[in-house]
Amino acid sequence: MQNLPQKVRSKKLNSRVDLTAMVSVSFLLIIFFMVVGELSKPKSLDLNTGRDCDDCGVYPYEGENRSVTILLGENNKIIYYVGLIASPIKKPKSTTYGKNGIQKELIARIESLQKHSNGSSKRKPNLIVIIKPTKKSNYGNLVDILDEMKMTGITSYFIVPEFTPEESKLLASN
């Protein structure tokens, strides 16, 4: 008998696949899409136009009596006035940030509005603040005045970049 060549059997390789990298990438993708989904949600502020209350009646203390304009100048300068610049109810005055500065003036104005309303309206009197930052004022000043709005509870404030000629003269003179 002859020796017949034996069949060569191939070695069976281990067919196990390592999925560690794929699991890591999957978790990274899940986290990425969760963060992107959260950041892409629209962020907005509520706008109070005053038209939300149809049955509130006539507001007893209206117009320029309710408005305070704050001009933000360079070097942390604040000038404010009540009413219109052409005929202000309270003449333009320079002040500072903080509890003894603009915050004190705003609280006094709110209390004056409440005193004049005499509770004849169903809603509280609302002070309207117009904030006018100059190009020379810094971003920190705007953040500081917005903090003052939050601390005094004023919800109706507007940031307006335009100045009247009288306001420009007022800022230049101070």
Side-chain angles (χ1 to χ4, degrees):
M1 284 210 231
Q2 288 186 18
N3 267 342
L4 292 171
Q6 288 193 346
K7 287 185 177 178
V8 179
R9 292 198 172 206
S10 61
K11 276 187 174 179
K12 293 201 174 191
L13 296 174
N14 191 1
S15 61
R16 197 167 162 217
V17 177
D18 187 18
L19 297 176
T20 305
M22 192 162 71
V23 170
S24 297
V25 169
S26 299
F27 279 117
L28 285 173
L29 284 172
I30 290 170
I31 291 170
F32 171 77
F33 285 115
M34 286 173 57
V35 169
V36 167
E38 193 62 33
L39 292 177
S40 66
K41 289 181 182 174
K43 307 275 190 274
S44 64
L45 294 173
D46 292 333
L47 176 63
N48 182 5
T49 59
R51 296 187 180 131
D52 302 334
C53 186
D54 294 330
D55 61 338
C56 291
V58 177
Y59 200 46
Y61 205 51
E62 294 214 15
E64 63 268 7
N65 292 318
R66 292 178 42 207
S67 70
V68 174
T69 303
I70 300 174
L71 308 173
L72 304 178
E74 61 183 327
N75 298 328
N76 300 329
K77 181 172 31 171
I78 303 176
I79 299 173
Y80 75 96
Y81 61 90
V82 177
L84 303 173
I85 189 69
S87 59
I89 294 168
K90 188 169 186 179
K91 300 274 186 209
K93 184 179 173 187
S94 183
T95 188
T96 60
Y97 293 97
K99 200 185 305 184
N100 294 325
I102 191 69
Q103 193 177 75
K104 180 179 177 183
E105 298 296 332
L106 292 173
I107 290 171
R109 194 68 198 153
I110 292 169
E111 289 171 354
S112 172
L113 282 174
Q114 289 174 344
K115 183 177 94 178
H116 284 88
S117 71
N118 293 328
S120 61
S121 178
K122 290 183 183 177
R123 63 180 187 175
K124 286 185 173 182
N126 198 7
L127 184 66
I128 299 170
V129 178
I130 302 167
I131 302 166
K132 294 188 173 188
T134 63
K135 291 182 180 178
K136 293 180 180 178
S137 67
N138 61 34
Y139 182 72
N141 294 139
L142 185 60
V143 171
D144 289 341
I145 201 68
L146 292 177
D147 285 343
E148 299 288 347
M149 297 299 113
K150 183 78 170 172
M151 286 186 269
T152 55
I154 296 172
T155 57
S156 296
Y157 56 87
F158 306 93
I159 301 171
V160 180
E162 293 91 24
F163 289 87
T164 63
E166 294 90 1
E167 290 171 338
S168 298
K169 287 178 191 174
L170 180 65
L171 280 169
S173 68
N174 284 339

